[in-house]
Amino acid sequence: MKQKYGKVAVLMGGSSSEREVSLMSGGGVLTALLDRGVDAHPFDPSERPLADLKREGYDRVFLILHGPFGEDGTVQGALEVLGLPYTGCGVLASAIGLDKLRTKLLWQALGLPIPAFELVNAASDFDAIEKKLGLPLFVKPATEGSSVGVIKVKEAGGLRAAFAEASKYDKLVIAEQFIGAGEYTAAVLGEQVLPFVKIEPATEFYDYEAKYIRDDTKYLCPAPIPAWASAQIAEDVKKAFWVIGGKSWGRVDFLMDEAGKHYLLEVNTAPGMTSHSLFPMAARAVGLSYEDLVLQILDTTL
């Protein structure tokens, strides 16, 4: 393994609001690589310059940073300049993927199904947006992950306050139609779409707490979706990942309505790899252990 991969940096931590999640993901990846005999080492770019990667003789990078300055193309661009191969999507796909607004606009242009949405700012007609999208609705910052800053507006007149809260995280804020018959995710590994996971949170919605802290969130994998519908969703997932320039691995989240129609929600270009994470769960459904999954992702740098 040491000859095959050389010296591997697990890029984890960082300075975004998802730092703690990245450290959890990175810890799991590092342990898996070490267990498989890879010469792997933790590397936190918030504590030392990326130039140290070259100076210390690293051959490749397992990139498991989440959020801005890790998943948005900036670190990817720096690694390109350093000439170091890395896991996950490149500069373009990472930059687009973290930006929910630009992702939606691309998907919309391709004719892919997405929930209705509006861009919200301080001058918006909040009442008109509530009427147009209906209640409840979701408000979210455009460039945060892990449900950071996401608010469910359930009562008339609540959009203004939700916007004020979400705008603390990003100057771009989206109001989005509520689709209420289930939240799902599709893991993409190379050219393969893994079995879908259905998420059933005990909380109001699949928020940060439900994702990483609570143990009462239920996951169904493979998700109970008819084969004919699964095939269509998988095709849309592949198109959604392709149009942003996705490669290596990623995750596309989607919703279902009561009529069984699916709506693409967002894309993750550096999915979580914690004990609660969805990607390893989908991999297990096709007989891929956590350690084998980590190696398969690392193989994409060869």
Side-chain angles (χ1 to χ4, degrees), residues 252-276:
V252 177
D253 299 337
F254 64 95
L255 305 168
M256 299 280 276
D257 66 12
E258 285 76 5
K261 185 183 175 190
H262 65 280
Y263 299 80
L264 301 176
L265 190 60
E266 59 188 68
V267 64
N268 258 280
T269 55
M273 289 288 282
T274 73
S275 59
H276 283 59

Side-chain angles (χ1 to χ4, degrees), residues 8-284:
V8 179
V10 179
L11 220 58
M12 57 200 272
S15 56
S16 81
S17 60
E18 297 178 73
R19 173 178 171 79
E20 293 307 314
V21 181
S22 174
L23 288 171
M24 286 190 280
S25 290
V29 167
L30 181 63
T31 300
L33 291 175
L34 292 172
D35 284 350
R36 290 298 168 93
V38 177
D39 182 21
H41 306 263
F43 192 104
D44 189 339
S46 70
E47 296 175 353
R48 50 208 295 224
L50 285 173
D52 282 359
L53 289 167
K54 204 74 174 168
R55 204 159 32 241
E56 294 173 16
Y58 284 99
D59 296 292
R60 66 198 68 253
V61 172
F62 196 113
L63 206 165
I64 197 69
L65 295 166
H66 302 314
F69 309 112
E71 204 174 343
D72 63 355
T74 50
V75 168
Q76 287 80 359
L79 294 173
E80 297 274 357
V81 171
L82 290 171
L84 284 169
Y86 56 90
T87 58
C89 291
V91 176
L92 178 69
S94 301
I96 294 170
L98 193 69
D99 188 325
K100 295 181 181 70
L101 175 63
R102 268 80 183 185
T103 298
K104 286 176 185 299
L105 292 173
L106 271 177
W107 287 353
Q108 202 172 43
L110 205 62
L112 292 167
I114 60 171
F117 71 95
E118 291 286 328
L119 195 58
V120 190
N121 59 46
S124 292
D125 185 337
F126 295 105
D127 292 339
I129 292 172
E130 285 182 6
K131 286 189 178 74
K132 182 176 179 181
L133 297 179
L135 291 172
L137 60 79
F138 278 103
V139 175
K140 52 185 72 172
T143 60
E144 288 285 349
S146 292
S147 300
V148 172
V150 175
I151 299 152
K152 187 176 183 181
V153 177
K154 295 184 281 186
E155 294 174 5
L159 178 55
R160 186 184 296 274
F163 162 75
E165 182 60 31
S167 64
K168 292 175 184 174
Y169 298 93
D170 194 334
K171 61 181 181 291
L172 281 179
V173 175
I174 296 166
E176 189 176 72
Q177 174 192 11
F178 173 72
I179 308 290
E183 185 166 349
Y184 301 77
T185 197
V188 182
L189 184 59
E191 300 298 313
Q192 185 183 10
V193 178
L194 300 179
F196 306 142
V197 181
K198 184 180 184 188
I199 303 145
E200 295 183 347
T203 48
E204 183 78 37
F205 63 96
Y206 193 45
D207 58 8
Y208 186 95
E209 190 182 339
K211 284 180 180 177
Y212 303 113
I213 299 166
R214 300 175 68 107
D215 288 318
D216 54 2
T217 304
K218 291 180 184 171
Y219 303 98
L220 305 176
C221 184
I225 298 175
W228 63 268
S230 292
Q232 180 57 60
I233 295 166
E235 280 306 306
D236 283 352
V237 163
K238 284 181 184 176
K239 286 180 192 169
F241 197 53
W242 168 81
V243 77
I244 69 158
K247 64 180 176 113
S248 182
W249 70 308
R251 219 186 67 224
V252 177
D253 299 337
F254 64 95
L255 305 168
M256 299 280 276
D257 66 12
E258 285 76 5
K261 185 183 175 190
H262 65 280
Y263 299 80
L264 301 176
L265 190 60
E266 59 188 68
V267 64
N268 258 280
T269 55
M273 289 288 282
T274 73
S275 59
H276 283 59
S277 291
L278 304 169
F279 208 107
M281 201 178 298
R284 281 197 299 274

Side-chain angles (χ1 to χ4, degrees), residues 281-294:
M281 201 178 298
R284 281 197 299 274
V286 291
L288 206 56
S289 69
Y290 186 96
E291 292 78 11
D292 287 339
L293 171 62
V294 168

